[in-house]
Each structure stands twice: as C-alpha cells, then as structure tokens.
Amino acid sequence: MTTTTRLPRITEAAGRKRVLAPSNAAGTRALLACAVVAGPLWVAVSVAQALTREGFEPTRHALSQLATGSLGWLQITNFVIAGILATVGATGLHRVMRGTPGGVAVPRLVRVVGVGMVAAGLLTMDPADGFPAGTPDGVPDSMSRHAYGHMAAGSITFASLIAIGYLLGRHFSRLGNRRLAVVSRVAATVKLTGDAWAMGGGTAGALTIATGTTVMFALLAYVAAHYRRTA
C-alpha cells in the first residue's frame, strides 16, 4: 500500500507572512507607508506649483525647473522630502519582497531613486526658456555645475524607474499575479517611451517625461500599498 503526502501550496500571501515573521509588522507597515506617500506627494506638490507659478508651461518646462526662482525652495523641499520617504520606504519593500524574484534588486533601485531625488533637489537646474518669469527664451549658452549634477541625478533616477517597472513585471509574473505583471510592464514602457520621445526632440517632451514619471510613481505607490495590506 502506497501513501502520498501532499505538500501545502505556498501562496503569495503566505510567503509574505513567512518573510515578515522575524520583523516587526507595525514597523514594516510604517516603512511601506513612506513608499506609498513618496511619489504621489512629489507629483501633487509639483502639479500645484505648475498650475500656479507665473510663466511655467508644462509642455516646455521640466517640473525640475520649478526649483528655480524665488519660490524654488518649495520644489527643492519637495524633492528632498519625497526622496527621503522613498529611501526609507525601500527598506519596507526589502522586507516584504525578500526571497522573491526581484526581491533584492527592486528595493535597491527604489533606494537609488530616493537618493537621486534628494540629489536632484539640491543640485538645481539653471533658469531657462522663459522660466522663471523674466528669463530670456531659449537654452543658456553654458550650464552650471549644479545643472550638470541635476541632469546626472535625473538620468540615474529615470533609468532606475524604468528598470523597476520591468523587474516588477517579472516579480508579479513569477508570483502568478498576471494583472500587476502587465500593469508594471506597461508603466515602465510608458516611462521609457516618454523619455525617448523627449530625448529625440519630440513635441512637448517635458510633458511626456512628467507623464511617465507620474505613472511610475503611481505604480510604486500601488505596489507598496498592495504589500502593506498584508504586512
């Protein structure tokens, strides 16, 4: 007579509970809350300024240019706070994603995004193309060192966001969550396409970059909230 032992199926939720067992669940939820808030906060404050600051045109001016002028401190603060929240939130993502596909790379890249945002806030762009109000139209003949630093920080941040989207696509695909796998890959593609369009001199390039960034921040916030519910 042969007996068969049936092994229990490990579900995504069960796996997360197992991973979180050694950690303080309340602390993990607090860390994940930082990841939930970071992107939407940055977008909301940026949009509010874009709608109210004189001379700002979303199709011509990058949201980073809001960090210039007499009110530039608002956007600098926005960058720094959101960056710190993302950096802290990455620790929460590391806890809940540990042991899963992308469970190391995604939190590390989220941390890179956070540090990149802080750097992009502290290293501001130069006034250009009519903003702040009173600035001559067109691109300046030369760029400051902090403007070059901003471009470097922004490039690293954008590349990290795109990579995060595709890695999350693989992560959720392996876990059997087809919906979030598709959403993650679409969000990454929107960001990649928007950046490529702008770099190629496409019309309203500043807006396509902002749109892609907003979509990726929304994805990260949703993923953090998704894991926070069961942490």
Side-chain angles (χ1 to χ4, degrees):
M1 181 176 180
T2 302
T3 59
T4 302
T5 301
R6 179 172 295 178
L7 297 175
R9 182 181 179 184
I10 300 177
T11 63
E12 179 185 350
R16 288 200 301 274
K17 289 178 181 178
R18 175 179 58 79
V19 170
L20 283 173
S23 304
N24 182 282
T28 299
R29 286 194 292 270
L31 292 171
L32 289 170
C34 293
V36 172
V37 172
L41 172 67
W42 184 86
V43 172
V45 174
S46 296
V47 170
Q49 294 180 82
L51 294 174
T52 56
R53 291 202 46 189
E54 181 184 358
F56 188 85
E57 173 53 57
T59 60
R60 293 172 57 198
H61 305 128
L63 293 176
S64 293
Q65 282 186 257
L66 291 166
T68 61
S70 61
L71 294 176
W73 64 270
L74 288 170
Q75 188 68 341
I76 293 173
T77 303
N78 187 29
F79 266 110
V80 172
I81 291 177
I84 292 173
L85 287 171
T87 303
V88 173
T91 301
L93 288 171
H94 172 72
R95 290 185 182 182
V96 296
M97 294 180 69
R98 188 169 50 203
T100 65
V104 174
V106 169
R108 285 181 178 176
L109 286 171
V110 171
R111 188 170 287 110
V112 170
V113 168
V115 173
M117 291 181 72
V118 172
L122 298 177
L123 301 169
T124 61
M125 295 180 67
D126 294 325
D129 204 15
F131 188 83
T135 301
D137 289 336
V139 179
D141 294 333
S142 61
M143 292 175 56
S144 64
R145 291 182 180 180
H146 54 78
Y148 279 116
H150 180 91
M151 290 180 63
S155 297
I156 292 171
T157 299
F158 290 162
S160 296
L161 284 172
I162 294 168
I164 287 168
Y166 288 120
L167 285 170
L168 284 174
R170 178 174 177 271
H171 169 78
F172 287 115
S173 179
R174 294 287 295 275
L175 292 178
N177 192 329
R178 184 176 179 182
R179 180 179 64 85
L180 273 180
V182 171
V183 169
S184 299
R185 289 170 177 141
V186 169
T189 302
V190 169
K191 177 60 179 166
L192 175 61
T193 304
D195 288 5
W197 174 263
M199 291 176 63
T203 305
L207 186 58
T208 63
I209 290 176
T211 299
T213 302
T214 299
V215 169
M216 277 305 306
F217 280 161
L219 171 66
L220 284 175
Y222 184 86
V223 169
H226 169 79
Y227 278 120
R228 188 176 185 273
R229 286 193 293 270
T230 53

